[in-house]
Structures are given as C-alpha cells and as structure tokens.
Amino acid sequence: MENFKKLIEETGETYAFNAETSVQGFVLLFEVIKEMGLNPLITSELREGLFRLFNIELIKVPDLDNSRFIFTPNHVSDFDAIVLGLALPKTRIVAKTDWTNNEKLRKFLDLHYDLYGLDRSSLQSLHILLADAVKYFEDKTKTNKHFLVFSQGTISDFNNNSVERISTIAHKVAVNADVPVVNIFIEQVSLTYPTRIVFDEPIKLSRKDDFRSIWLERELVLQNSIDSARRPKLTHKHSNNNKPGDLFF
C-alpha cells in the first residue's frame, strides 16, 4: 500500500499517468488488491477491492440489464475509466490511444475492460469511432450493452470548462443509434474520503438539442445533488485546458 500511495503522490493530485507510470500503477494496484485477500485477475474481486480502496458509493444507478445507454461522465483523473468500467459491466469505453496502443498496459486492461481507442488529434479516427459506435448498438443480440464517452475529452474541472470545449461525440452517437444519454458525476477518487458517483436520468436527444449546454447544466445539477461535493485537485496543465484552442493532455 505504501508504494501505491507514493506513486499516487508522484503523479500529482490529478492522479494522471503517462504510458510508463500507468503500467507501474497497475502493478502496484494489483499488489494492494492482493493484500486485501482478493484476486485482481478476477473482475468481480478487482471491483470489490477498488470499491473498498476508494470508498466508492454509487447513487441512482439506472437499469443496466434491460436498457442501452451512452454514459457521459465528467473526467477528473485517470482512475475514472478504471472505476466506471467496473461499476458499469458490458460497457465499451472510449479511451485515448496512449492507453489502448500500450501493449504492456493492455495485458491488464483487456482482462476487465472493453476499450475503444481514439486518437484525439485525428478527425479520421473520430469519424471511424462514430460509425463503429452505431454498428455496436445495431447489434441486437444483447440488450444491455452500453457506451462511455468522456465529453470533456481530457481531465479538467467542468466548473471551469467553456461550452465550446465540450465534445459532441456522445450526442452524435445517441442520435444516430437512437440511444439515450446518461450523465454521470464522479468525484476524484480518494483513499481518505468517500468517492461518490451520481447517475442522472436518461435523456433522449434530438439533432436540434444543444448537447454541450445540456451536458454542463446536468453535471452542475448532479454535483449539487450531493452534500459538499469535492472539487477536483488538478495539476497546472489540467487546470488550464478549458478554453477553445487549448491543447488536450
């Protein structure tokens, strides 16, 4: 546990990992799970361990077994996808290619997650994602498949985000695949405080809807729905990537 805590401190308050530290982080995380008497190679036991480690509390989870959703959470650390992927089984998660192209990291991730790589700097990669997402939902052999997209595109505090910086990927997929969107508010994971994850009611969007404004508005509502919601502690670069034209990290 001490080595894991040390790594967390070295990554800064944002819990953001690069290609090298992400692999190291998973190795240390698995060691912590083993110390709990759990097997991190078994998804259900990894989930139990992570939920205990980060004091995860799920609030108003929708019916995952009889519906299809596009989840659009806020993004406050690289643990967001790790935790949400375990909380939301049978969900395809859009992840940066820094993770999906990392062969060493995929050895861990592919045991528990369904990841879809997106090159955030490529329009072609985005167009392929949109087409593949619609095909994913067109497969009617399973009714409880879901999709997850971080609409901020990168780690940042939505309280400071300009509307223009919110991605419309989820909106386009939702309209083309005729699937409702579910906003999620997640607090930055903590080894000390409860980490609360709040789910919104499903929203059916039309092409005319202003998804960016709706997303920001719903995130604020979810944040305000819990007592003393913790604001994320971000590194300098993740605190200053909120305006149009700012780089994604």
Side-chain angles (χ1 to χ4, degrees), residues 26-218:
F26 258 92
V27 171
L28 294 177
L29 178 62
F30 277 23
E31 290 179 0
V32 172
I33 301 301
K34 289 178 180 178
E35 290 173 3
M36 295 179 177
L38 299 168
N39 185 349
L41 300 181
I42 299 175
T43 301
S44 61
E45 296 194 20
L46 176 62
R47 183 186 191 277
E48 180 182 347
L50 273 182
F51 274 45
R52 282 164 50 184
L53 180 66
F54 293 130
N55 310 292
I56 301 295
E57 178 183 352
L58 302 178
I59 303 171
K60 295 184 178 180
V61 182
D63 181 2
L64 302 176
D65 295 330
N66 300 293
S67 305
R68 292 186 175 197
F69 299 120
I70 299 171
F71 295 110
T72 57
N74 59 314
H75 201 3
V76 287
S77 86
D78 276 337
F79 277 112
D80 296 338
I82 302 305
V83 171
L84 290 170
L86 295 173
L88 303 168
K90 297 183 180 179
T91 296
R92 178 161 292 178
I93 301 172
V94 178
K96 56 187 178 182
T97 49
D98 308 51
W99 283 50
T100 58
N101 292 347
N102 186 325
E103 293 184 6
K104 291 182 179 179
L105 187 60
R106 287 300 292 264
K107 290 180 180 179
F108 299 117
L109 295 175
D110 286 345
L111 291 172
H112 309 289
Y113 303 96
D114 178 4
L115 299 183
Y116 187 101
L118 173 66
D119 181 349
R120 294 174 294 183
S121 64
S122 169
L123 283 177
Q124 181 182 9
S125 182
L126 174 59
H127 292 319
I128 294 173
L129 162 64
L130 293 174
D132 287 347
V134 173
K135 291 178 183 177
Y136 175 78
F137 282 116
E138 286 176 346
D139 179 1
K140 303 300 183 182
T141 59
K142 295 181 180 180
T143 58
N144 57 335
K145 294 195 307 182
H146 314 290
F147 216 78
L148 187 148
V149 180
F150 290 105
S151 292
Q152 290 164 283
T154 188
I155 295 171
S156 62
D157 183 354
F158 64 79
N159 293 278
N160 299 325
N161 285 147
S162 62
V163 173
E164 294 84 359
R165 281 303 301 270
I166 304 304
S167 168
T168 59
I169 293 176
H171 184 201
K172 293 174 182 177
V173 174
V175 172
N176 291 334
D178 192 28
V179 177
V181 165
V182 176
N183 271 55
I184 300 175
F185 170 74
I186 179 171
E187 290 181 303
Q188 205 167 51
V189 294
S190 173
L191 298 173
T192 305
Y193 302 100
T195 301
R196 293 165 293 183
I197 303 175
V198 190
F199 293 81
D200 200 1
E201 295 294 326
I203 300 174
K204 204 66 175 291
L205 298 171
S206 71
R207 294 188 186 278
K208 296 181 179 180
D209 285 325
D210 183 355
F211 172 75
R212 291 181 167 116
S213 296
I214 292 173
W215 185 88
L216 279 172
E217 178 185 345
R218 296 311 304 166

